[in-house]
Amino acid sequence: MSAVREGARQVMAWLHGWTGLLLGHVLFLMCLAGTLSVFKPEIGRWMRPEATAIAAPADAIAAATDWLSKNAKDAAGWYLTAPDGRMNTVEAAYDSGGVYLYRALDPITGAPVARETMGGEFFYRLHFELQLPYPWGRLLASLAALMMLVALITGIIAHRRIFRDFFTFRPAKGQRSWLDGHNALGVMSLPFHLMITFTGLVTLASLNMPWAMTANYGDDLATMYQAFTPGTVNRPLAEKKAPLAPIAPMLREAGRRFGGAAIGRVYVVNPGDAAAVVTVFRSDAGQIASTPGEISFDGATGEVLSDWTETRPALKTYNVVYGLHMARFAPGLLRWLYFLGGAMLTLTIASGLVLWVVKRRERAPLSLGNRILERLNAGVIGGVLLGGVAYLWANRLLPLGVEARADTEISIALWSAGIAVIAGAALRPALAWPALLGSLAAGCVGAAVLGLGISGFAQWGMDLVLLATAAALSLIVIRQIRTLRAPVAPRRSRASAAA
């Protein structure tokens, strides 16, 4: 029986290693971007230092719709997120001339703020779309999340002393040190890792498990969405122009029906048409479940068309699962715990990729494939981080009026990451790691200085995080340089060691 258990553990260990390796670099990117997305509003606020105005959510939404009525009246819809304690601008998504736009609108004037940027929305989209066209980015992210879940479960099964080794760390021991660190990072927040991976898969269930929906609805997506959200009012265009009724009374009525709860999102479909519909959603900040209620109004008259609160157990369960992943409900301390758990998962993936190479180097000379992986580890891990810092630099250094400014910021981030990956592949790993991590530390310091230079101490929190990251990276780089300069002891073969 013991032999059977040991055989099963070996199989699980093999599966754990390969599932973590095959899409490990994609998982690293996803987890890093998802971790940063925990503070999406705060990142967006840091990247728009000129936007300092504050207004009540209803007033900000009213100002935004006034501006959109004049400047985006031909759009098929306006999709607005109201400001709250974490974000002072109105997030607006709408189409213009066949192009889908994302803008942050001033809460007083309703016009786009001076510094056009995607802000934290870039990391949020990168987390599950990987900057790839729909649906390929989401499909790849879903496959990577599935492999992550398999890697977590097989890692638990394969590890015989999972909790005992959690308290064990042996520094400067090569493979053993990397394994101890990998185990500790994985076990320390294991429930979080399982929760965030499983809930992430569920959020993409319509892509990774579409069979039940296609079996019931076929290609009739409209009927499917209506069944999922029966409170949504869908009306065809009347093709008759009509101004949007004053939105402030609609928001007040929605707030009253929500029992005084805050407004979260406002969708205006068919604006400027007699068949316009205004749908107001309750804020997700007051409960774990996402979008528990919505109220729709006739856009032309302001009359209530629908008042819907989800009560079906299956969909309420889905809303809770989705809400757990998005963490919009999380107060300050819990939000930091989410961030810490995400950072641990990111480091677990990174240490696992490095451990794969270290483990094989100590047994025998590395194969060609593992030598390539070793260089890719330095390039991808360092490059992804450098791309994120380059994004912050671009936000501060690009002129405010440059055309397609938000897209240029993203292009700079992607090109910087790509160049770093090439540099990591070209340099030998002993040089690539300190070079890339040293550049990253310098980049974090520069971003913090640029941040303080424009916004002063009004948004010092993110600058402190950047400086703390730079300090931690500097210690790692100093250690790597010392190791690089230290004389290399002659390696003994296993045969001579045994003799």
Side-chain angles (χ1 to χ4, degrees):
M1 197 65 180
S2 176
V4 173
R5 284 197 297 269
E6 287 304 312
R9 286 196 178 97
Q10 289 178 2
V11 172
M12 292 295 106
W14 177 88
L15 187 57
H16 174 78
W18 279 102
T19 52
L21 175 69
L22 291 177
L23 289 178
H25 295 119
V26 175
L27 281 167
F28 176 80
L29 171 61
M30 288 173 57
C31 290
L32 176 65
T35 300
L36 295 175
S37 298
V38 173
F39 290 106
K40 178 171 82 97
E42 288 79 6
I43 293 173
R45 200 161 183 173
W46 185 91
M47 297 181 74
R48 302 183 186 99
E50 296 85 2
T52 57
I54 297 175
D59 295 338
I61 292 292
T65 54
D66 287 345
W67 184 88
L68 290 166
S69 296
K70 301 171 185 175
N71 297 275
K73 56 186 176 182
D74 295 327
W78 310 329
Y79 305 95
L80 312 176
T81 301
D84 54 21
R86 301 173 60 194
M87 176 182 64
N88 64 324
T89 55
V90 176
E91 290 187 354
Y94 57 96
D95 59 287
S96 177
V99 179
Y100 185 79
L101 301 176
Y102 171 86
R103 295 286 185 269
L105 306 182
D106 186 276
I108 302 296
T109 66
V113 299
R115 191 176 297 264
E116 182 192 344
T117 177
M118 289 291 287
E121 184 75 10
F122 167 61
F123 296 112
Y124 171 66
R125 294 284 169 184
L126 185 66
H127 169 59
F128 66 94
E129 290 184 333
L130 304 171
Q131 206 62 27
L132 295 175
Y134 180 87
W136 306 113
R138 298 188 184 196
L139 285 171
L140 180 57
S142 181
L143 178 60
L146 180 61
M147 286 198 169
M148 184 75 237
L149 186 61
V150 173
L152 287 170
I153 294 172
T154 53
I156 294 170
I157 297 172
H159 208 304
R160 288 181 300 176
R161 302 178 303 177
I162 188 167
F163 293 108
R164 176 181 171 184
D165 286 351
F166 166 68
F167 297 100
T168 304
F169 183 70
R170 288 152 284 194
K173 297 292 184 181
Q175 175 189 336
R176 175 51 59 186
S177 298
W178 280 104
L179 183 59
D180 288 344
H182 181 71
N183 290 339
L185 288 167
V187 177
M188 195 178 298
S189 57
L190 181 60
F192 174 84
H193 296 168
L194 290 168
M195 180 277 290
I196 208 70
T197 304
F198 173 74
T199 55
L201 273 170
V202 172
T203 62
L204 296 172
S206 60
L207 282 177
N208 54 48
M209 293 182 291
W211 307 284
M213 291 180 292
T214 55
N216 285 280
Y217 300 100
D219 296 330
D220 190 359
L221 296 180
T223 302
M224 182 194 73
Y225 287 124
Q226 188 63 38
F228 272 71
T229 56
T232 302
V233 177
N234 295 309
R235 298 199 298 188
L237 279 168
E239 297 184 355
K240 179 182 178 182
K241 296 293 184 180
L244 187 69
I247 201 167
M250 303 184 209
L251 300 178
R252 285 196 297 269
E253 176 62 17
R256 186 186 69 79
R257 291 176 179 244
F258 290 150
I263 293 168
R265 290 172 291 129
V266 178
Y267 292 171
V268 182
V269 181
N270 302 331
D273 189 83
V277 177
V278 178
T279 303
V280 183
F281 297 87
R282 182 177 173 177
S283 172
D284 294 341
Q287 64 286 313
I288 296 177
S290 63
T291 58
E294 58 185 83
I295 300 171
S296 295
F297 300 85
D298 187 302
T301 67
E303 296 179 357
V304 175
L305 299 176
S306 172
D307 184 347
W308 171 257
T309 300
E310 184 59 69
T311 58
R312 292 170 291 180
L315 288 203
K316 286 178 70 176
T317 301
Y318 173 82
N319 286 338
V320 169
V321 170
Y322 186 84
L324 280 171
H325 190 83
M326 300 301 292
R328 295 185 184 127
F329 69 94
L333 177 58
L334 183 56
R335 196 177 308 130
W336 275 106
L337 290 176
Y338 260 83
F339 181 85
L340 183 61
M344 287 181 178
L345 183 55
T346 305
L347 290 172
T348 300
I349 295 167
S351 61
L353 290 167
V354 174
L355 178 60
W356 176 279
V357 175
V358 171
K359 185 176 180 180
R360 281 151 184 80
R361 184 194 290 116
E362 293 192 356
R363 291 177 179 176
L366 290 177
S367 64
L368 176 61
N370 285 322
R371 289 201 300 272
I372 294 173
L373 175 64
E374 185 178 30
R375 293 181 178 233
L376 279 178
N377 283 344
V380 173
I381 294 172
V384 166
L385 293 165
L386 275 169
V389 171
Y391 179 62
L392 302 181
W393 274 68
N395 172 259
R396 286 298 193 252
L397 297 180
L398 283 175
L400 295 184
V402 69
E403 187 177 354
R405 191 179 187 282
D407 292 336
T408 304
E409 285 182 0
I410 294 173
S411 296
I412 290 173
L414 298 179
W415 278 106
S416 300
I419 292 170
V421 171
I422 294 172
L427 296 172
R428 62 189 182 95
L431 293 176
W433 281 109
L436 292 174
L437 295 183
S439 300
L440 180 61
C444 288
V445 172
V449 171
L450 288 170
L452 290 171
I454 292 181
S455 56
F457 289 95
Q459 298 168 13
W460 52 268
M462 185 165 167
D463 297 313
L464 285 181
V465 172
L466 287 168
L467 291 174
T469 303
L473 288 170
S474 299
L475 294 175
I476 296 172
V477 171
I478 290 171
R479 180 178 176 84
Q480 288 176 334
I481 293 175
R482 287 177 178 172
T483 303
L484 188 63
R485 291 177 176 176
V488 179
R491 291 180 61 183
R492 295 188 302 166
S493 66
R494 292 189 177 184
S496 61

Coordinates of all heavy atoms in Angstrom, one line a residue, residues 227-230 290-294 308-316 319:
A227 N -32.8 35.2 -20.4 CA -33.1 34.2 -19.4 C -32.2 34.4 -18.1 O -32.6 34.2 -17.0 CB -33.0 32.8 -19.9
F228 N -30.9 34.8 -18.4 CA -30.0 35.0 -17.3 C -30.3 36.3 -16.6 O -30.1 36.4 -15.3 CB -28.6 35.0 -17.8 CG -27.9 33.7 -17.9 CD1 -28.3 32.7 -18.8 CD2 -26.9 33.3 -17.0 CE1 -27.7 31.5 -18.9 CE2 -26.3 32.1 -17.0 CZ -26.8 31.1 -18.0
T229 N -30.7 37.3 -17.3 CA -31.0 38.6 -16.7 C -32.4 39.1 -17.1 O -32.5 40.0 -18.0 CB -30.0 39.7 -17.1 OG1 -29.9 39.7 -18.5 CG2 -28.6 39.3 -16.5
P230 N -33.5 38.5 -16.6 CA -34.8 38.8 -17.0 C -35.2 40.3 -16.7 O -36.2 40.8 -17.3 CB -35.7 37.8 -16.3 CG -34.9 37.4 -15.1 CD -33.5 37.4 -15.6
S290 N -22.1 40.2 -6.8 CA -22.0 41.3 -7.7 C -23.4 41.6 -8.3 O -24.2 40.7 -8.4 CB -21.1 41.0 -8.9 OG -21.6 39.8 -9.6
T291 N -23.7 42.9 -8.6 CA -24.9 43.3 -9.2 C -26.2 42.7 -8.7 O -26.8 41.9 -9.4 CB -24.8 43.2 -10.7 OG1 -24.6 41.8 -11.0 CG2 -23.7 44.0 -11.3
P292 N -26.5 42.9 -7.4 CA -27.7 42.2 -6.9 C -29.0 42.8 -7.3 O -30.1 42.2 -7.2 CB -27.5 42.4 -5.4 CG -26.8 43.6 -5.2 CD -25.8 43.7 -6.4
G293 N -29.0 44.0 -7.9 CA -30.2 44.7 -8.2 C -30.0 45.7 -9.4 O -28.9 46.3 -9.5
E294 N -31.0 45.9 -10.2 CA -31.0 46.8 -11.3 C -32.4 47.4 -11.5 O -33.4 46.7 -11.4 CB -30.4 46.2 -12.6 CG -31.2 45.0 -13.1 CD -30.6 44.4 -14.3 OE1 -29.7 43.5 -14.1 OE2 -31.0 44.7 -15.4
W308 N -35.6 44.9 -10.8 CA -35.3 43.5 -10.7 C -34.2 43.3 -9.7 O -33.2 44.0 -9.6 CB -34.8 43.0 -12.1 CG -34.2 41.6 -12.0 CD1 -32.9 41.3 -12.1 CD2 -34.9 40.4 -12.0 NE1 -32.7 39.9 -12.0 CE2 -33.9 39.4 -12.0 CE3 -36.2 40.1 -11.9 CZ2 -34.3 38.0 -11.9 CZ3 -36.6 38.7 -11.8 CH2 -35.6 37.7 -11.8
T309 N -34.4 42.3 -8.8 CA -33.4 41.8 -7.9 C -33.3 40.3 -8.0 O -34.3 39.6 -8.0 CB -33.8 42.1 -6.4 OG1 -33.8 43.5 -6.3 CG2 -32.7 41.6 -5.5
E310 N -32.1 39.8 -8.3 CA -31.9 38.3 -8.5 C -32.2 37.5 -7.2 O -31.6 37.8 -6.2 CB -30.5 38.1 -9.0 CG -30.2 36.6 -9.4 CD -31.1 36.1 -10.5 OE1 -31.0 36.6 -11.6 OE2 -32.0 35.3 -10.1
T311 N -33.0 36.5 -7.3 CA -33.4 35.7 -6.2 C -33.1 34.2 -6.5 O -33.3 33.4 -5.6 CB -34.8 35.9 -5.7 OG1 -35.7 35.6 -6.9 CG2 -35.0 37.3 -5.3
R312 N -32.9 33.8 -7.7 CA -32.7 32.4 -8.1 C -31.4 31.9 -7.4 O -30.3 32.5 -7.6 CB -32.7 32.2 -9.6 CG -34.0 32.5 -10.2 CD -33.9 32.6 -11.7 NE -33.2 33.7 -12.2 CZ -32.9 34.0 -13.5 NH1 -33.4 33.2 -14.4 NH2 -32.3 35.1 -13.8
P313 N -31.4 30.8 -6.7 CA -30.3 30.3 -6.0 C -29.0 30.1 -6.8 O -27.9 30.4 -6.4 CB -30.7 29.0 -5.3 CG -32.2 29.1 -5.2 CD -32.6 29.9 -6.4
A314 N -29.2 29.5 -8.0 CA -28.0 29.2 -8.9 C -27.3 30.5 -9.3 O -26.1 30.6 -9.2 CB -28.5 28.4 -10.1
L315 N -28.1 31.5 -9.7 CA -27.5 32.7 -10.1 C -26.9 33.6 -9.0 O -25.9 34.3 -9.1 CB -28.4 33.6 -11.0 CG -28.7 33.0 -12.4 CD1 -29.2 34.1 -13.3 CD2 -27.6 32.3 -13.0
K316 N -27.6 33.5 -7.8 CA -27.1 34.1 -6.6 C -25.7 33.5 -6.2 O -24.8 34.3 -5.8 CB -28.1 34.0 -5.5 CG -29.3 34.9 -5.6 CD -30.3 34.7 -4.5 CE -29.7 35.3 -3.2 NZ -30.7 35.2 -2.1
N319 N -23.2 34.9 -8.6 CA -22.9 36.3 -8.3 C -21.9 36.3 -7.1 O -21.0 37.2 -7.1 CB -24.1 37.0 -8.0 CG -24.9 37.3 -9.3 OD1 -24.4 37.3 -10.4 ND2 -26.2 37.6 -9.1

